[in-house]
């Protein structure tokens, strides 16, 4: 009788231990992902650079060599320019890169997604972009570019509140960089 | 090194399991049914998930609101279902992890078991994918953290040109379509998991995929209690315009997420793929000491199919006869599936020590311990015994070291599995007066190393399964003790009391005559 009772107690303890273990670890201990007082800048866009060269007209001989249904005079290159981007915060370089176009024929968009965690506060943001490289100028290093080389430049002062995310996107239709908070 | 780890791990499990046996017996012991418990949790998750699915709405605000409705307005049913869904999922991870550790420590993953082991690995991936997806669906701040962290992690892989993380830049970039995709995945992945679980147990005869009723009832009750006292809740609604600072992680599923803040996405992928690869190749890592497998001797096989019925691993197949003997079938062993347990030998009607006309070669035999060797060992060991309480102990090598039981009145014979002993040997020992009693011992009840050995042995002795122990054999002279590897004290005590019982019974009489080895036993009986 006594052992029976002890056995039941043992089973209750076993089940109890199990549900405490499962119940506790299913939502605790809390994980501190970011410190209070932090904010984030996210730079992300997907943008197709300009074609690497101008369109040109085919000569008559060239046209004659093509199949009749392919005889179009104007040819435009499919390959696109890479996109150089430079992000400076308070005049300090935060990020720079030359984003290569996607696709085997390099005819797709250049894409980036970067996340920077910063302290909340006032910042001067400067961002530059160049999307009209020619095939001949395959620059790998952004720092070799001059300020005048960029065909889009934007700078503004922002205030980033704690816990806020500022997204910098690029949109050709909107004629350049778009900041959203 | 590996073997030492396994030995210590096994000790630890055995020690804990012995404790559980003491409080609830082997039929209740969850450690003996970790795979079955995982199945059970899967069914709880399925049923509760179907209920939640009825009310779940896809959409950036609808998702959170529908889950809140279940949790708060419908706490008595929807909330309980939600809690069961979460806690059964967590328990699922617990039992799977224990299941892997246990199979690993016991060494049940090599040779023919590679199939069960390797088919288990994708189940881990699917389980984690389903669990992470589940937390994502709630679309609270935890989901937001998971969405961004997972997307950034996936984006490291060179598959997609447009980063997934761009979907979660801010509130404006979220689309409801993404929720539809997620909720579709949250159903598709568990379906694949179920398919995988089914494949996982294909190579086993009578796999234990349901826990015993007492454990099932206790477990679901415990989960219900937990669901009422600590209902699963959501965190703040997600808002992609704001940062998430602190999250209450589910450490069963999201345990490696904090690492994603510390290490690069690439190194976490390397870790995950590395562990997966290690698991996959483990069955083939040294030390490699495969044992000889069962061998059929066609001349002695009558095609009865008992070995086919009893093999726990489906390693025996019955094929049409290839020789001229007048039987329709013959047994064929698939060496890739054979566990070398010898259970088939124990089931073969031709494996009887009474055979005298021809040499003792049964239809199926183990090269490392032939049935003729077992008979010789039995006879030789019996000759040395003295007293009126002589016992022959047959033990399986996965139990305790039975040599420690040996003495002037006790002879021991070790077998790969207790069920490798044809019941006719018990008859032989008692009828021929080789000893007053037979003591069979092996694994812990409910936890046979070869899964079905204890069940078959008991059914054969009870006369419920062929080859049955002859009715005439006095059952009080046969004792079984399923004490497992840590049960030496119990084994010893039971042997002592069995011998005392034998002494009390006096010598074995049949047809009025005392059977004793001095009666030149081999001329009698049969
Ligand atoms: C969803 C997760 C899983 C479920 C539901 C599950 C279920 C099962 C079941 C029901 C059995 C049969 C037990 C028996 O009848 O004795 C079994 C055996 C086995 N499982 Fe799993 N399992 C899972 C995951 C895994 C994983 C991840 C591994 C290893 C990587 C694994 C390795 C094994 C092995 C090696 C056996 C064979 C044991 C033997 O042959 O004696 N399982 N599993
Ligand atoms: S030794 Fe075991 S696994 Fe091999 S065929 Fe016989 S019963 Fe099956
Ligand atoms: S049990 Fe023996 S006789 Fe029967 S099929 Fe198997 S090997 Fe042949």
């Amino acid at each position: 009788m006594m052992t029976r009772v002890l056995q039941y107690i043992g089973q209750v303890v076993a089940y109890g231990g199990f549900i405490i273990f499962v119940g506790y670890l299913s939502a605790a201990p809390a994980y501190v992902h970011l410190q209070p007082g932090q904010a984030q800048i996210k730079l992300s866009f997907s943008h197709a650079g300009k074609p690497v060269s101008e369109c040109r007209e085919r000569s008559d001989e060239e046209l004659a060599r093509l199949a009749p249904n392919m005889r179009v005079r104007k040819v435009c290159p499919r390959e696109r320019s890479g996109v150089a981007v430079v992000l400076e915060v308070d005049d300090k370089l935060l990020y720079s890169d030359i984003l290569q176009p996607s696709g085997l024929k390099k005819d797709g968009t250049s894409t980036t997604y970067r996340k920077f965690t910063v302290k909340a506060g006032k910042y001067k943001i400067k961002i530059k972009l160049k999307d009209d490289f020619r095939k001949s100028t395959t620059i790998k290093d952004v720092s070799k570019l001059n300020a005048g080389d960029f065909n889009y430049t934007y700078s503004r002062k922002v205030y980033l509140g704690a816990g806020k995310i500022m997204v910098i996107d690029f949109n050709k239709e909107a004629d350049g960089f778009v900041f959203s908070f | 090194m590996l073997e030492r780890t396994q030995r210590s791990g096994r000790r630890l499990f055995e020690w804990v399991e012995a404790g559980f046996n003491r409080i609830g017996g082997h039929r209740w012991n969850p450690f003996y049914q970790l795979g079955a418990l995982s199945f059970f949790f899967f069914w709880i998750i399925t049923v509760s998930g179907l209920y939640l699915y009825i009310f779940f709405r896809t959409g950036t605000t609808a998702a959170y609101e529908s889950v809140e409705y279940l949790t708060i307005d419908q706490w008595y049913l929807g909330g309980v279902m939600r809690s069961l869904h979460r806690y059964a999922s967590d328990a699922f991870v617990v039992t799977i992890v224990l299941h892997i550790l246990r199979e690993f420590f016991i060494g049940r993953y090599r040779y023919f078991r590679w199939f069960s082991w390797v088919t288990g690995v994708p189940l881990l991936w699917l389980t984690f994918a389903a669990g992470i997806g589940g937390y994502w669906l709630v679309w609270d701040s935890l989901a937001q953290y998971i969405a961004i962290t997972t997307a950034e992690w996936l984006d490291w892989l060179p598959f997609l040109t447009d980063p997934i993380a761009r979907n979660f830049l801010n509130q404006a970039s979220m689309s409801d379509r993404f929720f539809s995709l997620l909720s579709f995945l949250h159903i598709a992945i568990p379906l694949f998991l179920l398919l995988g679980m089914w494949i996982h147990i294909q190579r086993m005869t009578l796999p234990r995929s349901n826990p015993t009723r007492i454990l099932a009832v206790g477990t679901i009750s415990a989960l219900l209690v937990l669901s009422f006292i600590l209902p699963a809740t959501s965190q703040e609604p997600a808002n992609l315009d704001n940062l998430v600072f602190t999250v209450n992680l589910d450490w069963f599923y999201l345990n490696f997420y904090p690492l994603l803040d510390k290490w690069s996405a690439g190194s976490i992928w390397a870790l995950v793929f590395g562990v997966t690869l290690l698991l996959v190749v483990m069955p083939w890592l040294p030390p490699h000491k495969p044992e000889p497998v069962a061998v059929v001797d066609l001349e002695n096989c009558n095609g009865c199919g008992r070995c086919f019925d009893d093999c726990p691993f489906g390693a025996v197949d019955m094929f049409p006869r290839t020789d001229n003997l007048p039987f329709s079938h013959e047994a064929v062993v698939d060496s890739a599936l054979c566990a070398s347990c010898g259970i088939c030998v124990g089931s073969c009607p031709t494996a009887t020590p009474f055979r005298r006309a021809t040499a003792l070669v049964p239809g199926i035999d183990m090269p490392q311990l032939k049935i003729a060797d077992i008979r010789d060992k039995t006879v030789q060991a019996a000759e040395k015994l003295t007293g009126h309480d002589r016992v022959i102990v047959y033990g399986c090598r996965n139990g305790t070291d039975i040599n420690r039981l040996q003495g002037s009145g006790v002879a021991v014979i070790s077998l790969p599995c207790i069920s490798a002993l044809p019941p006719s040997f018990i008859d032989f020992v008692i009828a021929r007066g080789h000893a007053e009693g037979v003591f069979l011992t092996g694994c812990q009840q409910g936890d046979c190393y070869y899964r079905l050995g204890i069940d078959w042995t008991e059914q054969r002795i009870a006369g419920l399964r062929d080859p049955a122990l002859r009715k005439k054999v006095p059952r009080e002279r046969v004792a079984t003790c399923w004490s497992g590897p840590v049960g030496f004290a119990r084994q010893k005590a039971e042997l002592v009391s069995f011998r005392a019982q034998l002494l009390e019974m006096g010598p074995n009489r049949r047809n009025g005559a005392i059977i004793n080895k001095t009666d030149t036993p081999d001329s009698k009986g049969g």
Side-chain angles (χ1 to χ4, degrees):
Chain A
M1 185 58 210
M2 195 56 205
T3 49
R4 257 265 124 93
V5 172
L6 283 176
Q7 282 186 330
Y8 283 128
I9 294 173
Q11 288 177 27
V12 169
V13 169
Y15 283 123
F18 182 65
I19 62 174
I20 290 170
F21 177 71
V22 166
Y24 179 72
L25 283 183
S26 93
Y31 168 62
V32 180
H33 171 53
L34 293 168
Q35 300 302 327
Q38 286 184 317
Q40 259 174 5
I41 301 170
K42 283 185 181 176
L43 168 68
S44 177
F45 57 77
S46 186
H47 167 59
K50 298 213 168 71
V52 284
S53 57
E54 301 296 335
C55 299
R56 65 178 181 89
E57 311 235 315
R58 286 196 172 103
S59 64
D60 291 338
E61 296 99 82
E62 271 183 291
L63 274 183
R65 262 186 270 130
L66 293 170
N69 62 336
M70 305 279 281
R71 285 181 192 151
V72 185
R73 190 163 287 276
K74 199 165 168 183
V75 277
C76 297
R78 296 187 58 183
E79 186 179 342
R80 288 178 182 277
S81 157
V83 175
V85 58
V86 174
L87 172 65
E88 287 166 12
V89 173
D90 290 346
D91 297 322
K92 279 200 279 296
L93 180 69
L94 194 59
Y95 165 66
S96 71
D97 202 355
I98 299 187
L99 310 162
Q100 294 306 312
S102 60
L104 287 176
K105 298 215 163 76
K106 291 182 163 263
D107 55 350
T109 54
S110 297
T111 305
T112 188
Y113 171 88
R114 291 288 149 137
K115 195 170 81 177
F116 309 97
T117 303
V118 295
K119 269 207 208 100
K122 277 203 195 117
Y123 290 100
K124 190 176 115 198
I125 310 275
K126 189 169 181 195
I127 182 140
K128 298 181 283 190
L129 181 141
K130 174 177 170 63
D131 66 352
D132 57 356
F133 289 99
R134 294 291 146 151
K135 203 183 247 161
S136 49
T137 56
T138 42
I139 293 177
K140 288 265 152 35
D141 186 356
V142 189
S143 63
K144 297 245 166 66
L145 294 170
N146 300 316
D149 292 336
F150 292 93
N151 47 343
Y152 294 90
T153 306
Y154 188 90
S155 88
R156 79 181 264 188
K157 290 209 166 94
V158 295
Y159 176 75
L160 284 178
K164 283 291 159 194
I165 300 167
M166 178 178 74
V167 176
I168 308 175
D169 202 344
F170 182 84
N171 189 332
K172 207 160 39 180
E173 279 72 53
D175 209 23
F177 288 99
V178 184
F179 284 56
S180 48
F181 290 80
Chain B
M1 175 58 195
L2 177 75
E3 283 175 4
R4 189 141 15 107
T5 317
Q6 284 178 321
R7 221 172 306 129
S8 331
R10 190 170 181 180
R11 284 284 135 71
L12 183 67
F13 265 96
E14 283 163 1
W15 184 74
V16 176
E17 286 161 11
F20 273 77
N21 280 336
R22 225 165 290 136
I23 59 176
H26 70 271
R27 290 189 53 72
W28 172 76
N29 198 329
F31 288 92
Y32 298 157
Q33 17 191 340
L34 290 167
L37 263 185
S38 308
F39 263 88
F40 184 62
F41 289 132
F42 184 86
W43 298 126
I44 297 178
I45 300 165
T46 306
V47 171
S48 54
L50 285 175
Y51 186 83
L52 298 179
Y53 191 69
I54 299 171
F55 296 92
F56 185 73
R57 297 280 165 270
T58 55
T60 35
T61 50
Y64 185 84
E65 282 165 9
S66 63
V67 178
E68 283 296 276
Y69 163 77
L70 282 163
T71 310
I72 297 164
D73 301 355
Q74 225 201 79
W75 61 271
Y76 49 88
L77 185 58
V80 172
M81 287 295 186
R82 180 186 183 190
S83 304
L84 278 181
H85 196 67
R86 173 184 296 185
Y87 293 135
S89 305
D90 291 336
F92 190 62
V93 173
V94 176
T95 50
I96 297 175
V97 169
L98 287 174
H99 173 58
I100 305 175
L101 284 175
R102 194 168 187 274
E103 300 302 323
F104 167 67
F105 287 140
I106 297 181
R108 285 200 293 214
Y109 61 95
R110 291 176 183 284
Y111 318 126
F112 73 98
R113 279 197 185 87
W114 72 267
F115 181 87
S116 303
W117 182 263
V118 172
T119 55
V121 179
L123 302 184
L124 285 175
W125 276 73
L126 291 167
T127 302
F128 277 88
I132 293 166
Y135 277 108
W136 199 323
L137 282 177
V138 179
W139 208 234
D140 60 355
S141 57
L142 173 64
Q144 172 178 348
Y145 161 78
I146 292 174
I148 294 171
T149 312
T150 313
E152 289 171 357
W153 188 42
L154 287 171
D155 285 336
W156 185 87
L157 298 172
F159 298 137
L160 297 162
T161 48
D162 207 26
I164 306 170
R166 277 178 57 73
N167 289 297
F168 307 107
L169 284 176
N170 52 21
Q171 285 290 86
S173 56
M174 258 307 275
S175 84
D176 287 356
R177 271 210 334 260
F178 206 86
F179 272 98
S180 310
L181 174 68
L182 277 179
S183 69
F184 166 74
L185 284 177
H186 196 61
I187 294 174
I189 292 172
L191 281 177
F192 277 104
L193 180 59
L194 181 61
L195 176 69
M197 281 157 54
W198 178 77
I199 294 172
H200 179 61
I201 56 173
Q202 277 316 294
R203 280 223 183 154
M204 279 169 256
T205 308
L206 303 177
R208 203 192 289 173
S209 55
N210 287 314
T212 54
R213 177 155 330 160
I214 171 171
L215 182 65
V217 170
T219 305
I220 184 105
S221 311
L223 287 185
L224 274 170
V225 169
L226 177 60
S227 302
F228 275 105
I229 57 178
L230 191 70
T233 53
S234 305
Q235 300 175 30
E236 312 260 281
N239 179 349
L240 287 171
D241 291 338
N242 293 333
L243 288 179
V244 173
F245 291 106
T246 303
V247 276
N248 295 325
L249 284 193
D250 179 315
W251 291 90
F252 297 102
Y253 284 96
L254 305 169
N255 39 52
F256 61 99
Y257 272 60
L259 281 183
L260 283 161
D261 281 345
K262 308 232 157 27
W263 300 349
S264 69
S267 50
I268 305 290
W269 279 120
L271 182 74
V272 169
F273 280 116
V275 170
T276 305
L277 189 71
L278 179 69
L279 282 174
V280 169
V281 301
M282 249 170 65
W284 294 277
L285 293 183
H288 220 67
K289 303 174 218 155
E291 272 193 273
V293 300
V295 177
V296 174
D297 183 70
L298 266 194
E299 251 175 62
N300 287 287
C301 168
N302 62 26
C304 68
R306 283 177 192 165
C307 52
F308 169 79
D309 290 339
D310 281 7
C311 173
F313 304 100
V316 183
D317 246 324
M318 300 308 296
F319 281 119
R321 211 68 202 188
T322 54
D323 58 12
N324 298 326
L325 293 183
F327 306 111
S328 63
H329 286 83
E330 66 186 38
V332 175
V333 173
D334 182 343
S335 56
L337 302 183
C338 178
S340 311
C341 64
I343 289 179
C344 49
V345 184
S347 76
C348 183
T350 65
T352 159
F354 290 112
R355 261 170 74 168
R356 295 217 42 96
T358 51
L360 179 42
V361 180
I364 194 162
D365 213 351
M366 304 309 295
Q368 62 274 48
L369 183 64
K370 293 203 164 75
I371 211 77
D373 302 338
I374 302 178
R375 185 179 67 176
D376 293 349
K377 281 191 180 187
T378 302
V379 174
Q380 281 160 19
E383 275 167 5
K384 297 198 190 91
L385 295 181
T386 56
H388 298 289
D389 53 357
R390 297 163 305 151
V391 173
I392 299 213
V393 175
Y394 291 101
C396 114
R397 63 178 172 203
N398 294 296
T400 55
D401 176 11
I402 54 170
N403 287 321
R404 291 158 70 190
L405 297 170
Q406 212 162 356
S408 61
V410 180
V412 300
I413 290 158
S414 183
L415 302 166
C417 171
I418 195 61
S419 184
L421 184 78
S424 49
F425 271 78
I426 303 173
D427 194 0
F428 176 73
V429 169
I430 296 171
R432 298 269 171 104
H434 289 304
E436 274 72 45
V438 173
F439 190 83
L440 305 177
T441 183
C443 298
Q444 166 64 48
Q445 180 119 45
D447 187 36
C448 171
Y449 188 85
Y450 294 112
R451 305 183 44 251
L452 304 172
I454 292 178
D455 294 349
W456 291 171
T457 303
E458 295 205 317
Q459 292 176 21
R460 289 170 190 165
I461 294 176
L464 300 172
R465 187 176 191 89
D466 274 334
L469 180 61
R470 279 202 314 157
K471 277 213 184 67
K472 277 195 182 149
V473 178
R475 294 306 197 266
E476 63 278 10
R477 293 189 179 273
V478 186
T480 56
C481 174
W482 311 126
S483 49
V486 288
F488 184 71
R490 182 181 138 199
Q491 206 176 38
K492 194 158 182 194
E494 289 189 14
L495 181 60
V496 167
S497 77
F498 178 53
R499 292 182 68 196
Q501 195 186 311
L502 289 174
L503 258 188
E504 217 166 277
M505 274 188 260
N508 185 20
R509 285 166 195 278
R510 217 172 55 189
N511 307 329
I514 294 176
I515 301 175
N516 195 291
K517 64 177 174 187
T518 49
D519 301 344
T520 56
D522 277 355
S523 57
K524 274 195 194 167

